[in-house]
């Protein structure tokens, strides 16, 4: 046991010595590492010289450093902007995705709209035949009535002329004609009866500025009026039944336009891409024509276009705003109304001009001129488009007036001995024919401003005044009757024609007429009719024939008349 205790003590001592040795070696290693990590500071040697400092080099290095930083900043700025664009694009994508969530509703709307339009077109196609038939029926009634009046007027003119020629001829042989004596006499008596009735009406109304022959003589007998009205009422009754089996959504123009307005408000892009504004005039054409079946612009107190339901509905549709956006001039819906007028209204007016209009009727002519001014004014909205329908209407007006000049104007020339007695049949007939031609001249010249000036001057002056009226004036002796006729002719001429005449000469077409006035003035002056002479000089002044007036005053030493120039 003593030996074992000594061994244990020996082992503890060795362990202690080993621990001391390990601890000492570790401290020595740590000190050596510390000395290695901290190198010795170099000592400053004052004997060593440093390189010189150059400010330019420093400035250059600083500039290069700033430029480098600026380049880095710009790169960061571009990157920032790109990130912002990506953010905006992402927002737009989110909005589009949110809208695309309504795809089912959009598809439902388009499908319903497609079905509605197909049903509307099918309905109108089915009714189109009935509309055409009724429109034609009314137009044929009006055309037959107009032809009846025109043929009666021409027959009475021929018969009256033949009757007077027969009375004034030396022999009593009957003239060749399609009617026997009794029938001719009956026609002339009816004509004189209508003339007497009109004269009595004018006397009661106090109309003194009227001459026999200036009436259009378009009265119908009570039987003819009743037959016409009955036939027209039957057609109108049928027209009211056209859409009686159709729902209002397919025959009411206002409700139809509301459908398309809803489309435009919800999907303006697809509305424009479908060219709806170009399709609507043709789509609405049958419905508008139904409302125009009873429309006659030649009658007194006819319904204005602006007062018709279809016009107001289209106008409201064209003026409607798309949401909060104001109505722009480039909105294609602004063209709907002008296109309706171009495609529907103007062709209908042209048909009236060709087959119904009587150029000898002043009331019809005034109504037609008023309508043309109104319609042509609304066509201004059609931008830079050549209106073929307007050209057709203008050409129809010119052709109809040419036909009237050729067929309705007849002024017989009788020997002076037969017309000196103003109560004779020859004198009365000749005066009636003269004043009828003057009335046509007045109606033709009313078209100045709508038709080309050259066209109006050719029809009114070259064809009517110089070819017909002037011959009668030349055979009428100077006096109050001649002056009254000349004054009426001058009163018909538009003042606009003489405003820009600076040369002292009148229009070329009026030279012969002015020479006639000059001859009248000379004759009246020689006969000491000073008042009548002054009236003739005033007419020449109105016609701007100043050279003729000056020469006349100088020739007869009428210095007091210079104040009239």
């Amino acid at each position: 046991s003593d030996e074992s205790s000594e061994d244990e003590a020996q082992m503890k001592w060795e362990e202690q010595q080993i621990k001391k040795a390990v601890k000492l070696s570790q401290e020595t290693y740590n000190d050596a590492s510390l000395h290695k990590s901290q190198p010795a500071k170099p000592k400053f040697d004052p004997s060593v010289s440093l390189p010189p400092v150059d400010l330019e080099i420093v400035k250059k290095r600083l500039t290069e450093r700033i430029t480098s930083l600026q380049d880095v900043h710009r790169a960061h700025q571009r990157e920032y902007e790109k990130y912002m664009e990506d953010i905006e694009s992402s927002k737009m994508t989110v909005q589009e995705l949110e809208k695309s969530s309504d795809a089912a509703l959009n598809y439902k709307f388009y499908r319903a709209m497609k079905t509605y339009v197909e049903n509307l077109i099918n309905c109108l196609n089915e009714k189109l035949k009935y509309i055409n038939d009724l429109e034609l029926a009314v137009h044929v009634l009006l055309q037959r009535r107009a032809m009846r009046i025109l043929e009666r007027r021409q027959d009475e003119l021929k018969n009256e002329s033949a009757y007077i020629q027969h009375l004034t001829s030396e022999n009593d042989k009957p003239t060749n004609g399609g009617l026997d004596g009794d029938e001719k006499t009956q026609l002339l008596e009816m004509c004189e009866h209508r003339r007497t009735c009109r004269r009595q009406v004018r006397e009661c109304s106090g109309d003194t500025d009227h001459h026999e022959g200036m009436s259009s003589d378009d009265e119908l007998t009570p039987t003819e009026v009743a037959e016409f009205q009955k036939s027209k009422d039957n057609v109108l009754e049928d027209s009211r039944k056209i859409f009686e089996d159709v729902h209002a959504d397919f025959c009411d123009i206002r409700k139809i336009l509301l459908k398309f307005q809803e489309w435009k408000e919800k999907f303006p892009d697809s509305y424009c891409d479908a060219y709806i504004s170009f399709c609507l005039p043709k789509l609405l054409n049958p419905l508008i024509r139904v409302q125009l079946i009873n429309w006659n612009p030649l009658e007194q107190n006819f319904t204005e276009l602006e007062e018709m339901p279809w016009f107001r509905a289209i106008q409201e549709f064209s003026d409607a705003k798309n949401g909060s956006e104001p109505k722009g001039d480039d909105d294609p819906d602004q063209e709907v109304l002008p296109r309706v007028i171009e495609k529907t209204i103007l062709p209908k007016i042209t048909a009236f001009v060709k087959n119904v209009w009587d150029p000898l009727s002043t009331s019809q002519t005034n109504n037609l001129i008023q309508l043309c001014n109104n319609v042509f004014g609304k066509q201004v909205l059609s931008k830079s488009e050549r209106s073929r329908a307007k050209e057709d209407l203008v050409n129809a007006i010119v052709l109809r007036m040419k036909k009237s000049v050729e067929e309705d104007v007849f002024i017989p020339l009788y020997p002076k001995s037969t017309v000196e007695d103003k109560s004779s049949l020859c004198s009365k007939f000749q005066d009636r024919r003269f004043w009828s031609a003057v009335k046509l001249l007045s109606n033709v010249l009313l078209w100045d401003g709508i038709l080309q000036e050259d066209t109006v001057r050719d029809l009114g002056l070259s064809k009517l005044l110089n070819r017909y009226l002037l011959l009668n004036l030349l055979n009428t002796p100077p006096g109050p009757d001649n002056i009254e006729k000349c004054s009426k002719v001058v009163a018909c001429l538009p003042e606009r024609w003489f405003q820009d005449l600076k040369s002292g000469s009148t229009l070329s077409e009026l030279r012969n007429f002015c020479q006639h006035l000059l001859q009248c003035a000379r004759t009246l002056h020689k006969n000491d009719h000073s008042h009548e002479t002054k009236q003739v000089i005033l007419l020449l002044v109105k016609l701007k024939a100043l050279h003729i007036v000056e020469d006349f005053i100088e020739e007869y030493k009428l210095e007091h008349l210079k104040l009239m120039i």
Side-chain angles (χ1 to χ4, degrees):
S1 63
D2 293 335
E3 292 178 354
S4 61
S5 58
E6 290 178 358
D7 292 337
E8 291 178 358
Q10 185 65 29
M11 290 178 64
K12 290 182 178 180
W13 182 82
E14 290 177 355
E15 289 178 358
Q16 290 176 354
Q17 294 300 319
I18 290 171
K19 290 180 179 181
K20 290 180 181 180
V22 170
K23 185 176 181 182
L24 181 62
S25 62
Q26 188 173 7
E27 290 178 355
T28 304
Y29 176 77
N30 291 337
D31 292 339
S33 300
L34 184 61
H35 285 294
K36 289 181 178 180
S37 61
Q38 296 179 355
K41 295 182 180 179
K43 296 181 179 181
F44 176 73
D45 188 359
S47 62
V48 178
S49 62
L50 296 174
V53 177
D54 190 350
L55 292 178
E56 293 297 329
I57 295 175
V58 173
K59 182 178 178 181
K60 180 179 179 182
R61 289 180 179 176
L62 289 175
T63 303
E64 292 175 351
R65 179 63 176 167
I66 290 173
T67 304
S68 175
L69 291 175
Q70 288 177 344
D71 293 340
V72 172
H73 175 71
R74 283 192 291 269
H76 290 168
Q77 186 69 24
R78 288 192 296 270
E79 189 174 2
Y80 170 76
E81 292 175 355
K82 182 177 180 299
Y83 290 153
M84 293 303 295
E85 291 178 357
D86 292 342
I87 291 173
E88 292 298 326
S89 176
S90 299
K91 289 180 179 179
M92 295 294 294
T93 303
V94 169
Q95 292 178 359
E96 291 177 358
L97 290 174
E98 289 177 351
K99 290 181 179 179
S100 64
S101 61
D102 297 332
L105 295 177
N106 298 347
Y107 172 76
K108 183 178 180 181
F109 173 82
Y110 282 122
R111 185 174 180 180
M113 197 69 195
K114 177 177 180 292
T115 303
Y116 172 77
V117 172
E118 288 177 348
N119 292 336
L120 176 61
I121 293 175
N122 291 334
C123 172
L124 295 178
N125 286 336
E126 181 180 348
K127 301 295 184 180
L128 193 58
K129 179 181 180 300
Y130 303 103
I131 297 174
N132 292 338
D133 293 343
L134 293 175
E135 190 178 45
L136 179 61
V138 171
H139 194 75
V140 167
L141 285 174
L142 296 173
Q143 183 178 357
R144 287 178 179 173
R145 184 178 66 172
M147 290 299 298
R148 172 75 181 89
I149 295 172
L150 181 61
E151 291 174 357
R152 185 189 68 190
R153 181 193 301 156
Q154 293 177 349
D155 290 341
E156 290 175 350
L157 174 60
K158 293 177 183 178
N159 294 331
E160 190 171 7
S161 175
Y163 176 72
I164 295 175
Q165 184 68 27
H166 174 70
L167 293 179
T168 57
S169 62
E170 294 181 357
N171 52 10
D172 293 333
K173 296 180 180 179
T175 57
N176 295 326
L179 299 174
D180 56 27
D182 293 339
E183 292 180 81
K184 287 183 179 180
T185 303
Q186 184 179 1
L187 287 175
L188 294 176
E189 289 177 353
M190 292 173 60
C191 180
E192 184 62 30
H193 174 70
R194 292 195 302 272
R195 196 177 295 127
T196 303
C197 292
R198 289 194 297 268
R199 188 184 307 114
Q200 293 174 352
V201 172
R202 289 194 302 270
E203 291 174 355
C204 294
S205 61
D207 185 5
T208 58
D209 187 20
H210 187 91
H211 297 275
E212 292 290 346
M214 297 187 74
S215 298
S216 53
D217 193 19
D218 54 1
E219 296 90 349
L220 295 174
T221 63
T223 304
E224 292 173 332
V225 172
E227 291 179 356
F228 172 82
Q229 193 61 43
K230 181 180 179 181
S231 301
K232 184 178 178 181
D233 291 342
N234 292 336
V235 175
L236 295 179
E237 182 65 25
D238 292 338
S239 68
R240 286 188 283 269
K241 298 178 181 178
I242 293 179
F243 291 106
E244 65 179 3
D245 59 342
V246 178
H247 193 274
D249 289 343
F250 298 92
C251 63
D252 189 330
I253 294 179
R254 191 182 300 275
K255 292 186 177 181
I256 293 173
L257 292 176
L258 285 176
K259 292 280 187 179
F260 289 98
Q261 187 175 341
E262 180 185 5
W263 181 358
K264 182 180 181 180
E265 292 174 353
K266 289 185 176 180
F267 310 103
D269 294 337
S270 64
Y271 178 88
C272 293
D273 293 340
Y275 295 99
I276 300 301
S277 301
F278 294 90
C279 300
L280 284 177
K282 186 175 182 179
L283 185 68
L284 301 177
N285 175 273
L287 299 171
I288 295 173
R289 286 164 55 197
V290 170
Q291 297 188 27
L292 293 175
I293 285 179
N294 191 31
W295 182 63
N296 184 359
L298 302 178
E299 292 180 345
Q300 290 288 355
N301 302 321
F302 71 95
T303 305
E304 297 286 349
L305 294 177
E306 292 84 350
E307 299 175 1
M308 293 188 174
W310 66 266
F311 189 97
R312 293 196 297 267
I314 296 176
Q315 198 170 41
E316 291 174 4
F317 170 77
S318 300
D319 295 339
K321 294 182 179 180
N322 185 9
S324 60
E325 298 180 2
K327 200 74 172 180
D329 294 337
D330 57 346
D331 191 338
D333 286 345
Q334 295 284 346
E335 297 290 329
V336 174
L337 185 56
R339 291 183 187 278
V340 167
I341 292 175
E342 172 81 11
K343 303 297 182 184
T344 305
I345 305 303
L346 289 182
K348 190 173 184 68
I349 299 175
T350 303
F352 274 102
V353 169
K354 289 181 178 179
N355 304 312
V356 183
W357 175 44
D358 181 10
L360 273 175
S361 172
T362 302
S363 61
Q364 291 186 15
T365 302
N366 283 326
N367 289 340
L368 191 58
I369 290 174
Q370 176 186 350
L371 178 63
C372 289
N373 280 324
N374 186 17
V375 170
F376 293 164
K378 289 178 172 54
Q379 273 200 309
V380 175
L381 294 175
S382 296
K383 302 171 183 176
S384 67
E385 286 189 8
R386 183 180 178 184
S387 177
R388 179 64 180 275
K390 180 180 177 180
E391 292 179 0
D392 293 342
L393 174 57
V394 170
N395 292 334
I397 292 171
V398 174
L399 291 175
R400 182 65 187 91
M401 288 195 295
K402 283 183 179 180
K403 181 180 178 182
S404 183
V405 171
E406 294 170 356
E407 297 181 357
D408 294 332
V409 178
F410 171 70
I411 305 177
L413 293 177
Y414 297 119
K416 290 185 178 180
S417 59
T418 60
V419 294
E420 287 179 352
D421 182 8
K422 295 300 180 181
S423 62
S424 65
L425 290 177
C426 294
S427 178
K428 289 183 177 180
F429 181 65
Q430 187 183 64
D431 284 346
R432 284 199 300 269
R433 299 314 307 159
F434 175 85
W435 289 114
S436 176
V438 170
K439 182 180 181 181
L440 181 59
L441 172 67
S442 176
N443 292 345
V444 169
L445 298 183
L446 288 174
W447 288 99
D448 179 58
I450 298 179
L451 304 181
Q452 293 291 333
E453 182 178 331
D454 294 341
T455 303
V456 178
R457 286 169 59 175
D458 178 65
L459 279 172
L461 303 184
S462 300
K463 288 186 168 58
L464 251 176
L465 176 60
N466 294 332
R467 188 179 298 179
Y468 296 101
L469 297 174
L470 190 57
L471 291 178
N472 179 269
L473 294 173
L474 292 173
N475 285 276
T476 303
D481 185 41
N482 197 314
I483 294 175
E484 183 183 12
K485 291 180 178 180
C486 293
S487 300
K488 188 63 176 179
V489 170
V490 173
C492 296
L493 303 176
E495 296 181 359
R496 184 179 66 87
W497 290 357
F498 306 97
Q499 291 176 353
D500 298 329
L501 295 177
K502 304 296 183 182
S503 61
S505 300
T506 187
L507 300 175
S508 59
E509 295 90 346
L510 294 174
R511 288 172 185 167
N512 293 334
F513 181 64
C514 290
Q515 288 298 322
H516 166 69
L517 292 176
L518 177 61
Q519 294 300 325
C520 288
R522 286 173 175 169
T523 303
L524 292 170
H525 178 70
K526 291 178 181 178
N527 295 331
D528 295 331
H529 297 295
S530 58
H531 179 69
E532 288 80 0
T533 304
K534 185 177 179 180
Q535 287 181 309
V536 175
I537 296 300
L538 279 174
L539 294 179
L540 287 170
V541 172
K542 288 182 179 180
L543 298 178
K544 298 296 182 180
L546 302 182
H547 289 334
I548 295 177
V549 175
E550 291 171 355
D551 294 342
F552 178 79
I553 292 175
E554 185 177 354
E555 179 182 357
Y556 294 99
K557 308 302 180 182
L558 303 175
E559 301 297 331
H560 65 282
L561 295 180
K562 285 187 176 180
L563 297 176
M564 300 169 56
I565 302 178

